[in-house]
Amino acid sequence: MNEPAAERATTTRARPKTAGPPDDVRPLPSATDGHPSVPRIVHADRVQRFEVDTVALYDELASAVDGEVRLDRTARLIYSTDASNYRQIPVGVVLPRHAEDVLATLRIARRHGVPILGRGGGTSLAGQCCNAGLVVDFSKYMNRILEIDPARRRARVEPGVILDDLRKAAGEHGLTFGPDPATHSHCTLGGMIGNNSCGVHSVMAGRTVENVDELDVVTYDGIRLRLGPTDAAELERRSRAGGREGEIFSRLRDLRDRHADEIRRRFPRMPRRSSGFPLEFLLPENGFHAARAVVGTESTCVLVLEAVLRLVPAPKHRALIVLGYDDVFAAGDDVPRLLHLEPIGLEGLDEALTRDMERKGLHTADLDLLPEGKGWLLMEFGGETASQAEAVARRALEKATARPDPPRHRLLTKPERQQAIWEIRESGLGATAHVPGRPETWPGWEDAAVPPQDVGAYLREFRNLLKRYRYDADLYGHFGDGCIHCRIDFDLDHPAGIQRYRDFVREAARLVVSHGGSLSGEHGDGQSRGELLAIMFGESLVGAFREFKAIWDPEGRMNPGKVVDPYRNDENLRLDGVRSALSRSTHFRYPSDNGKFDEALRRCVGVGKCRRTGGGTMCPSFLATREEQHTTRGRARALFELMRGDSLVEGWGSEAVRETLDLCLSCKGCKSECPVNVDMATYRAEFLAHYYEHHARPRSAWAMGRIATWSRLAGSAPRLVNRLLRLPGVSKAARDLAGVASERAFPRFAPRRQRRRARIASASSGRPVILWIDTFHEAFHPAALVAARELLEGAGYAVRPSPRGLCCGRPLYDYGFLDRARWRLERALDALTPAVDRGVEIVGLEPSCVSVFRDELPNLLGDDSRASRVAKAVKTLSEFIADDDTFPIPALSGRALVQIHCHQRSVLDGDGEIALLRRAGLEVQVPEPGCCGMAGAFGFESEKYGVSMRIAERGLLPGVRAAAGDTVLVADGFSCREQILQGTGRQPRHLAEVLRSGARPS
């Protein structure tokens, strides 16, 4: 088999180096640097019209705003959609650092006549978070918790604060913010105020609107107001204040007086209502609470600069009852009875949701915690102590099962089991999107709410409506509040399917209203439900909503076309007119997406889990930069726009897409942690393979992507190479040539005698096993290979090294060398298949190499029947040991700090290694889960060094520095060990070395 012809070995000009120290969170300079993509934007549609000189707009914003201004094409496309069905390309994005930036942005936007949209986490499901105007993203900088007042149980926050950050800060005082949507790890308080978010515990604490005390807001015309409850005297004073403030309050009072009776009559009396504007808070009996009256107005009236929020006591301990029913309808019927038991959370789900989880491999082990049934309710109770919480739950359980045909039940008191159940419930969106063997599902009727006493009846009628329209949906949600979630398999690709969708939601709206319910229970109206509001409220109150908006926004420039005078729900559809502009000839096979790259690019539904700031691997570069562009979602959107082909017309040659993918570390965290399993590492490799067909690869691609070739050459004279690379002049020239950061030290090539020792085959005749000799360990750390061989021999195995000249090609994927990678894998299949077919297994020490066999191999060569057999045979050392019940686990003692490689977490079994070390007797600590930041060549590249170190300094390097001197540092990945060594001076060891040290005779 001939090696593929070498690609043209020319280089491109290096991009600017990272500015600032490693703790600086600024992004790398972009090729566009925020400048306008086009000199003038003319926007004219059925709802809004404006024309703007973008160069002048940019110049004015850039000179007046301390934050960041982005009018470049990449930013505009990345911010063009949210988690909904809709897409509108904005004029640009402003990331303000403080309130003065917001005021300046509004002043300049008014001068140019540009609409404004405030944005937090960008997870809105009804289209309210995308518009054609100027986006103000509060999440990057305006995210400070300004004050926690435990005595008054209040918090003062900026709009970009992430909910979990507030909950953590309040938790230090035994308090919490009650509303807690499933996006709590990455949604912002400003977004929750805009959408009137709720969540599991609104049964206990109410919606966001009931937990807002005061708001500091600004209108489009620049009027800054402090809003809160307003008694009659204060209302009179403010109405007579004159100017815009007096006008606002006097007109609000007049609006209230004219519509008070109808508001009392037509607004549903139920726990959940996010549809329409909350005009009921203008009523005298509700204290004319102007702050609460603008909650849930979806950035159509004001921008929030600060908020004073209520905090509630957080139960210190919890107990969870899970009830199983014959079906979800019976579960719904039982809701009113169970609410009398006063749970702090009452959720429901059906068997279709659990079935889809099994299809997707989500939480499959945890599903056994559910009692027998086809529909379930989850009831949570709290207490000051664990025993008190359990006692409350047991009393409730006794009453819940006191009926002739009691539900099956299970009481969970251990926090880890409760968390497992809540993760099942919170995975609803991810579990129902992109399910193998099922059509794609979409929002559009995903959060209707009815009074809790009507849940069972509504579910039956709604299921019949779905059947009539030949739709299917899993049903789950906040049953205790009557809010039902689902994603439905609407056909939004074709005119007939779109018309059927429109007919369905109108009939669904009439069904909900017949039960006295709300079109939206927590996600808001936006564009999805704006045109349906007359069905729920009548034309007179819809006119009141229009008047309410006009009071705050006379020019109609705040998020136009949403809620009031809305776009139709079939306008601005994200899929409208999509015809893939990409060649269908791809390198990877995409078996989970019908073999189509364009279908794979539709996976991202915008849930934004890649924006969380801790608790997982995904997404390392976002954690370092806090940039939407460097999330999995941002990259997926850029690729989606590439597929559309109307805004990114360059196809595979798009420089904007290449730049968006540039800081992807290919950690594969998204493949396992993203709710819809977006596989950005694969998409990136695919794109780069095509991109570099017409562009020269950078120097680093040839230096580090071809490390297998260079390491073999250096291995013939490692001492000489090491000596030369330590000479200042040679070292600098080598770095410049390879694009390596000056701060990095070159890894030392191992002596030839050590490399020869690594390839010694066992003399025994035990059970054969192949030790995969990967490039990284053979070239730089063969001691781990020797330790692994000796350890396996000690367990009775006859170890054979993999044949010389083989390499899985791991670094090739980072630079799009997919033809070469395929060639290397075909050679590996030729060499390994005969042994594998005899039952021989293969042990690999480098997790990134093992992941190639398990992931890239079937995806690239799935048409070769040998690929799946070899993929199953390749295991990490910990996996291999775990599969052998007779393997002698050496006895160890002491403490270990273990850095699990990203690919172990995402593709392999990282938890198995931790369990193995604990079985051996070690006290194991794990740094905050996340990438080390080196990621193969990534951390060596000069322009990425700063980001690499910012990632490492988030948890790994501080953890290593804090570890006692006698703590064993364990890291299987060569990249992880290099990052630790070069960042702290401490030398980690491979699992094989650690176990071998305990197995060695004393």
Side-chain angles (χ1 to χ4, degrees):
M1 187 180 300
N2 294 323
E3 183 174 356
E7 289 83 350
R8 195 158 48 93
T10 54
T11 61
T12 58
R13 182 173 61 86
R15 294 174 58 214
K17 294 177 67 171
T18 305
D23 61 348
D24 187 345
V25 296
R26 284 178 291 176
L28 289 176
S30 66
T32 50
D33 200 28
H35 287 280
S37 309
V38 291
R40 182 173 293 276
I41 291 175
V42 178
H43 182 87
D45 62 25
R46 190 180 59 80
V47 171
Q48 55 179 321
R49 289 169 171 78
F50 61 88
E51 183 174 347
V52 59
D53 179 340
T54 58
V55 175
L57 177 65
Y58 178 85
D59 289 343
E60 291 182 42
L61 287 170
S63 63
V65 171
D66 289 337
E68 298 169 20
V69 179
R70 313 277 173 76
L71 271 63
D72 59 280
R73 180 174 56 171
T74 301
R76 295 177 61 221
L77 294 177
I78 286 173
Y79 280 84
S80 66
T81 187
D82 45 18
S84 72
N85 300 328
Y86 302 102
R87 167 186 179 266
Q88 290 178 275
I89 300 175
V91 169
V93 185
V94 174
L95 296 94
R97 289 184 181 271
H98 42 66
E100 288 71 22
D101 276 355
V102 181
L103 299 178
T105 299
L106 285 166
R107 184 176 65 251
I108 295 166
R110 281 197 307 278
R111 190 153 55 239
H112 289 269
V114 178
I116 287 285
L117 164 65
R119 176 175 166 126
T123 60
S124 298
L125 285 152
Q128 59 265 62
C129 209
C130 54
N131 212 312
L134 189 62
V135 176
V136 181
D137 182 349
F138 291 96
S139 66
K140 184 172 182 179
Y141 296 118
M142 289 186 66
N143 53 25
R144 294 179 301 161
I145 299 172
L146 301 171
E147 182 184 6
I148 299 286
D149 184 344
R152 296 179 59 241
R153 294 181 180 173
R154 296 292 184 271
R156 187 163 61 92
V157 303
E158 292 181 323
V161 170
I162 292 173
L163 174 58
D164 271 0
D165 292 343
L166 174 60
R167 293 167 73 189
K168 181 179 179 181
E172 296 177 3
H173 307 282
L175 302 170
T176 190
F177 186 68
D180 55 346
T183 53
H184 53 80
S185 67
H186 51 283
C187 69
T188 67
L189 270 300
M192 293 179 68
I193 292 167
N195 286 355
N196 193 14
S197 299
C198 303
V200 171
H201 294 103
S202 61
V203 169
M204 170 186 73
R207 303 166 296 168
T208 295
V209 68
E210 283 92 16
N211 292 276
V212 169
D213 270 4
E214 296 179 20
L215 293 177
D216 180 3
V217 304
V218 60
T219 64
Y220 184 81
D221 54 356
I223 306 303
R224 187 171 181 177
L225 299 168
R226 197 82 184 181
L227 304 179
T230 312
D231 61 24
E234 176 70 4
L235 178 57
E236 181 67 18
R237 185 192 68 79
R238 299 188 80 166
S239 297
R240 293 179 177 274
R244 274 286 284 142
E245 179 177 355
E247 176 190 347
I248 288 171
F249 276 88
S250 62
R251 291 182 63 189
L252 288 174
R253 181 181 58 186
D254 178 61
L255 173 70
R256 176 201 66 184
D257 292 344
R258 285 186 285 107
H259 292 280
D261 291 341
E262 192 171 12
I263 291 170
R264 294 184 181 105
R265 182 172 60 85
R266 294 293 300 258
F267 274 50
R269 292 178 174 85
M270 53 182 290
R272 289 293 188 94
R273 181 189 62 77
S274 285
S275 279
F277 291 156
L279 302 185
E280 72 270 30
F281 288 101
L282 296 180
L283 298 175
E285 58 264 34
N286 292 325
F288 199 90
H289 205 308
R292 293 182 179 177
V294 297
V295 171
T297 56
E298 304 180 10
S299 193
T300 63
C301 297
V302 296
L303 293 181
V304 175
L305 303 176
E306 279 187 21
V308 177
L309 306 172
R310 287 188 176 187
L311 302 176
V312 297
K316 294 180 180 177
H317 297 273
R318 302 173 191 241
L320 182 65
I321 296 171
V322 188
L323 302 173
Y325 297 83
D326 290 341
D327 53 43
V328 73
F329 314 120
D333 291 336
D334 214 14
V335 165
R337 185 177 70 93
L338 298 177
L339 281 174
H340 292 296
L341 304 177
E342 298 184 349
I344 63 174
L346 180 56
E347 301 288 289
L349 57 147
D350 70 357
E351 66 166 339
L353 180 65
T354 61
R355 190 165 55 241
D356 283 345
M357 286 184 175
E358 289 176 338
R359 287 173 175 165
K360 296 188 69 171
L362 283 173
H363 308 296
T364 50
D366 299 330
L367 292 176
D368 291 338
L369 294 173
L370 297 172
E372 181 185 352
K374 295 183 178 180
W376 296 270
L377 292 177
L378 318 177
M379 280 202 303
E380 187 176 65
F381 296 87
E384 284 295 301
T385 65
S387 59
Q388 184 186 69
E390 181 176 350
V392 172
R394 287 193 181 280
R395 288 194 295 271
L397 181 59
E398 184 178 347
K399 295 177 181 178
T401 55
R403 48 180 269 190
D405 183 21
R408 280 75 68 186
H409 59 271
R410 180 165 289 173
L411 173 62
L412 304 177
T413 58
K414 294 182 178 179
E416 60 273 16
R417 291 195 167 193
Q418 296 177 43
Q419 181 61 29
I421 291 293
W422 285 123
E423 287 181 1
I424 289 173
R425 165 59 190 86
E426 290 180 0
S427 297
L429 191 156
T432 57
H434 295 276
V435 179
R438 285 190 56 188
E440 289 178 283
T441 59
W442 304 98
W445 194 257
E446 78 287 345
D447 75 319
V450 296
Q453 63 267 23
D454 281 24
V455 169
Y458 169 73
L459 288 175
R460 289 182 178 88
E461 294 174 59
F462 182 62
R463 178 63 76 186
N464 288 334
L465 180 63
L466 288 168
K467 288 180 179 177
R468 197 146 48 80
Y469 276 85
R470 302 187 307 280
Y471 288 141
D472 195 11
D474 302 351
L475 303 174
Y476 60 98
H478 313 292
F479 283 22
D481 280 328
C483 183
I484 311 303
H485 289 321
C486 62
R487 290 177 67 89
I488 301 174
D489 52 345
F490 299 127
D491 177 7
L492 302 178
D493 282 304
H494 304 95
I498 293 171
Q499 183 59 51
R500 187 158 61 105
Y501 154 69
R502 284 181 58 79
D503 294 342
F504 171 82
V505 294
R506 286 194 169 275
E507 197 163 343
R510 288 190 284 269
L511 171 61
V512 164
V513 171
S514 73
H515 285 273
S518 174
L519 311 184
S520 169
E522 64 178 343
H523 296 161
D525 299 313
Q527 184 173 342
S528 288
R529 290 171 282 273
E531 66 171 305
L532 304 175
L533 289 176
I535 296 174
M536 177 177 169
F537 291 103
E539 292 294 346
S540 177
L541 277 180
V542 168
F545 296 153
R546 185 178 297 113
E547 183 180 349
F548 182 80
K549 173 179 167 59
I551 292 170
W552 299 99
D553 178 30
E555 297 179 56
R557 292 302 198 186
M558 293 294 295
N559 201 11
K562 308 302 162 80
V563 186
V564 169
D565 297 322
Y567 291 101
R568 296 189 311 270
N569 56 23
D570 61 344
E571 293 180 281
N572 305 317
L573 286 172
R574 188 153 53 101
L575 296 183
D576 185 32
V578 169
R579 298 293 181 268
S580 177
L582 304 182
S583 165
R584 291 184 178 270
S585 175
T586 57
H587 295 268
F588 290 104
R589 294 178 57 79
Y590 306 101
S592 299
D593 298 288
N594 297 314
K596 299 175 182 178
F597 187 47
D598 54 343
E599 287 195 19
L601 297 185
R602 287 163 57 144
R603 275 186 173 269
C604 180
V605 295
V607 70
K609 192 175 181 180
C610 47
R611 286 180 56 92
R612 65 185 178 186
T613 56
T617 301
M618 178 182 68
C619 184
S621 48
F622 172 75
L623 295 174
T625 67
R626 296 295 289 266
E627 282 287 327
E628 177 72 20
Q629 177 175 344
H630 301 310
T631 62
T632 302
R633 181 175 72 177
R635 296 176 183 120
R637 285 176 175 167
L639 285 165
F640 178 83
E641 293 294 335
L642 185 74
M643 177 188 72
R644 280 187 63 104
D646 54 351
S647 295
L648 291 176
V649 298
E650 307 97 317
W652 293 114
S654 172
E655 184 62 25
V657 174
R658 187 208 62 78
E659 185 174 273
T660 301
L661 297 173
D662 195 43
L663 291 191
C664 174
L665 286 82
S666 297
C667 67
K668 297 180 183 280
C670 51
K671 186 177 176 69
S672 61
E673 295 178 17
C674 170
V676 289
N677 309 113
V678 168
D679 186 2
M680 191 53 60
T682 295
Y683 308 163
R684 177 178 183 267
E686 182 75 62
F687 171 80
L688 290 178
H690 295 280
Y691 175 85
Y692 286 127
E693 289 174 359
H694 306 290
H695 295 77
R697 283 184 169 85
R699 293 167 294 169
S700 54
W702 299 99
M704 291 178 270
R706 303 292 301 276
I707 188 65
T709 300
W710 307 129
S711 63
R712 280 201 304 272
L713 294 174
S716 61
R719 290 183 179 177
L720 175 61
V721 173
N722 289 335
R723 190 177 300 118
L724 289 172
L725 290 177
R726 288 199 301 273
L727 295 176
V730 175
S731 177
K732 182 180 185 306
R735 283 189 176 86
D736 291 345
L737 184 63
V740 171
S742 60
E743 297 88 344
R744 290 293 185 195
F746 285 107
R748 294 178 62 82
F749 289 95
R752 294 175 67 183
R753 65 179 182 278
Q754 290 186 16
R755 296 170 64 142
R756 286 195 295 268
R757 283 191 63 199
R759 286 197 167 274
I760 296 175
S762 302
S764 67
S765 57
R767 178 183 168 187
V769 63
I770 293 175
L771 181 62
W772 178 258
I773 309 296
D774 65 270
T775 294
F776 301 109
H777 282 99
E778 183 175 33
F780 304 109
H781 195 58
L785 294 166
V786 174
R789 174 171 55 80
E790 293 176 350
L791 186 70
L792 293 168
E793 287 175 343
Y797 287 93
V799 182
R800 303 288 184 267
S802 56
R804 291 184 182 276
L806 294 184
C807 176
C808 70
R810 171 73 268 166
L812 298 173
Y813 299 90
D814 295 337
Y815 300 98
F817 287 109
L818 295 188
D819 284 337
R820 190 175 301 276
R822 182 185 183 96
W823 174 79
R824 286 198 175 278
L825 286 177
E826 287 172 342
R827 291 191 65 212
L829 285 182
D830 292 340
L832 298 175
T833 300
V836 167
D837 287 346
R838 295 195 302 271
V840 179
E841 292 184 309
I842 304 160
V843 175
L845 300 192
E846 172 56 46
S848 63
C849 294
V850 176
S851 75
V852 168
F853 285 102
R854 299 267 275 276
D855 190 5
E856 281 85 0
L857 172 60
N859 205 345
L860 272 177
L861 298 175
D863 52 346
D864 189 326
S865 61
R866 301 174 300 173
S868 60
R869 303 201 299 275
V870 170
K872 292 176 183 177
V874 181
K875 300 176 180 178
T876 63
L877 179 62
S878 59
E879 290 173 334
F880 183 81
I881 293 174
D883 288 344
D884 184 352
D885 295 335
T886 66
F887 201 100
I889 308 298
L892 304 171
S893 61
R895 290 171 292 187
L897 183 75
V898 183
Q899 169 65 10
I900 299 297
H901 190 282
C902 292
H903 292 184
Q904 282 178 283
R905 293 187 185 279
S906 57
V907 178
L908 310 172
D909 181 15
D911 291 338
E913 178 153 325
I914 295 170
L916 174 60
L917 287 168
R918 286 177 174 155
R919 280 179 59 198
L922 288 174
E923 179 186 331
V924 176
Q925 297 174 293
V926 181
E928 179 183 342
C931 183
C932 72
M934 186 67 86
F938 183 94
F940 280 95
E941 294 185 33
S942 55
E943 65 270 26
K944 298 172 183 173
Y945 170 78
V947 173
S948 169
M949 294 306 294
R950 291 200 290 271
I951 294 169
E953 292 290 354
R954 282 186 47 81
L956 173 60
L957 297 188
V960 171
R961 295 187 192 108
D966 61 351
T967 299
V968 178
L969 304 179
V970 186
D972 290 355
F974 170 74
S975 296
C976 303
R977 291 199 300 273
E978 277 298 305
Q979 186 75 302
I980 292 170
L981 175 62
Q982 298 201 25
T984 68
R986 298 185 66 174
Q987 178 65 67
R989 304 165 70 187
H990 192 281
L991 172 68
E993 297 174 283
V994 174
L995 294 179
R996 180 57 185 146
S997 67
R1000 197 181 304 278
S1002 58

